Amino acid sequence: MLRKHIRVALLLLAVVLPLTIFGSIHTAGQMRIFSRGSYFFEKTRENADILSVSITFPGGKTITVEKKDSFWRIKEADDYFASFAKVNALIALIRNTVIYRADALNSDSPHQISDAIRIASTDSHGNIVDDAYILPLKDGNSRHYALLNDDGYLYQLKGNFSLSSQVSDWLQMPLFSWDNRRIKRIKTDRFEVYRRTTGSDFRTAGSNKICPQIANLIGNFAYLVADDIRHASHFIPEKYQKAGYFEIYLFGGLVYKISLYRGEDGYWMRVRLDKGGLINKPSLNVMKENSILYDGWYFKINTDKGKLISGFVI
């Protein structure tokens, strides 16, 4: 009788075990179907130790956003400060990208990664947390195909992956954000102009003549961006010729001291913030908060802008 029960038990096991295995495999496969609406970069979202995010574009160009000294910086710009807006947008993209669909990867899947943007997050130990390839949108398709961590699935994502491959777009810019009304005095190594109130005309020091053309110089400084940036430890001023010096005094007491250099590779600029006598509290706060953006840095500017600024006369 005992042997008979054993045989029945073995027979049931032989029938049930394959069904159990098949059910487990089937359930595992269905898990990706139920991942719709889940976060794509889930491991990165859940990791509080992310040190960097690198974005590699077709052709090999890379933008690396990395955290140093509690600031997000751009590795390809000599570790200059990353744009607050760009970093916030990138973080939002990583946090909010959701999965629309996931299918098992096969030979017919559209996954030509040579056309893809690669986004990889890394922790403080140098370990890759997420490694994703985002394919460009196909005609008529509103969702991106994507691969993640070589897990054998092809994902469809909701998200805007129109990311810039220009390093300058990822930097905290512009160099100056003042407008004409805030400028009180401009001193250079060739001339000096001033005005007494925000609404009055600029006049030349000494002759006291109205100088409307100074608006052209102010316009060339307005919203100026850097094409390249180097830390002072990687810049050799002796290789460059001094091309101009400017002191821009703002109402409120803040002064921008700007040195312009010219070399074979174009025009570079160095900026220091200072106080012009009495300074009000808002201007003092600007000086304290923004000095870090200038101290110890050299900024390469557009060649045409450099020529216009260095050659300006009244």
Side-chain angles (χ1 to χ4, degrees):
M1 181 64 68
L2 180 60
R3 290 182 179 178
K4 182 178 180 181
H5 285 302
I6 292 174
R7 286 197 298 270
V8 172
L10 290 174
L11 180 62
L12 289 173
L13 182 62
V15 173
V16 172
L17 184 59
L19 292 175
T20 302
I21 294 174
F22 173 78
S24 299
I25 295 174
H26 181 71
T27 300
Q30 291 297 311
M31 287 299 289
R32 292 297 171 178
I33 296 176
F34 294 128
S35 68
R36 176 172 177 169
S38 298
Y39 292 109
F40 181 66
F41 294 99
E42 186 172 2
K43 292 169 63 177
T44 300
R45 280 175 52 92
E46 295 179 351
N47 194 319
D49 191 32
I50 298 298
L51 182 70
S52 69
V53 177
S54 64
I55 308 167
T56 303
F57 297 87
K61 189 172 184 178
T62 299
I63 303 292
T64 307
V65 183
E66 55 186 358
K67 186 176 289 185
K68 286 188 175 182
D69 304 324
S70 300
F71 291 99
W72 287 104
R73 301 170 183 260
I74 302 300
K75 179 180 179 181
E76 291 73 20
D78 217 2
D79 288 336
Y80 188 70
F81 301 96
S83 162
F84 306 140
K86 281 286 188 180
V87 170
N88 288 339
L90 179 62
I91 291 174
L93 179 65
I94 289 174
R95 289 191 59 82
N96 298 331
T97 297
V98 296
I99 299 169
Y100 176 76
R101 178 171 175 171
D103 299 293
L105 195 61
N106 57 57
S107 58
D108 297 326
S109 299
H111 60 282
Q112 186 63 37
I113 63 174
S114 61
D115 298 330
I117 293 177
R118 181 186 182 188
I119 300 178
S121 58
T122 307
D123 65 20
S124 61
H125 301 289
N127 301 314
I128 294 178
V129 178
D130 275 320
D131 190 2
Y133 289 86
I134 315 296
L135 279 71
L137 287 175
K138 301 294 184 181
D139 291 340
N141 195 342
S142 62
R143 299 178 182 87
H144 289 270
Y145 286 106
L147 306 175
L148 180 66
N149 299 329
D150 197 25
D151 63 1
Y153 285 88
L154 181 69
Y155 297 90
Q156 292 186 45
L157 307 179
K158 296 179 179 179
N160 181 10
F161 291 92
S162 299
L163 303 173
S164 175
S165 61
Q166 298 300 316
V167 174
S168 58
D169 288 342
W170 290 87
L171 304 176
Q172 184 59 33
M173 290 288 143
L175 287 172
F176 315 109
S177 57
W178 64 63
D179 59 36
N180 192 318
R181 294 171 298 174
R182 294 179 58 197
I183 298 175
K184 178 181 181 181
R185 181 181 297 269
I186 300 176
K187 293 175 66 175
T188 80
D189 44 8
R190 298 188 299 277
F191 63 85
E192 180 177 352
V193 297
Y194 73 97
R195 63 180 171 189
R196 299 189 184 281
T197 65
T198 59
S200 60
D201 295 320
F202 280 99
R203 296 179 177 271
T204 57
S207 63
N208 207 36
K209 293 181 179 179
I210 294 177
C211 185
Q213 64 267 37
I214 200 67
N216 295 328
L217 177 63
I218 295 172
N220 287 323
F221 277 113
Y223 299 99
L224 191 65
V225 300
D227 294 335
D228 193 9
I229 298 179
R230 291 183 198 164
H231 191 267
S233 59
H234 302 141
F235 189 85
I236 305 175
E238 292 76 18
K239 290 186 176 181
Y240 294 83
Q241 180 181 354
K242 197 74 173 287
Y245 176 75
F246 305 82
E247 291 183 356
I248 313 292
Y249 292 73
L250 304 186
F251 288 103
L254 188 61
V255 183
Y256 288 77
K257 296 183 175 181
I258 304 165
S259 298
L260 189 63
Y261 300 87
R262 181 178 64 247
E264 293 181 357
D265 59 345
Y267 287 84
W268 291 79
M269 189 174 280
R270 186 177 186 181
V271 183
R272 291 189 300 113
L273 295 184
D274 203 352
K275 295 181 290 185
L278 294 177
I279 185 170
N280 60 28
K281 187 173 181 180
S283 296
L284 185 60
N285 290 337
V286 170
M287 180 178 173
K288 291 178 179 178
E289 293 172 2
N290 290 357
S291 288
I292 193 173
L293 299 175
Y294 301 112
D295 292 347
W297 299 99
Y298 286 82
F299 307 92
K300 185 179 181 181
I301 64 172
N302 176 271
T303 299
D304 291 336
K305 288 281 190 178
K307 290 178 180 179
L308 291 171
I309 292 172
S310 64
F312 182 84
V313 293
I314 60 174

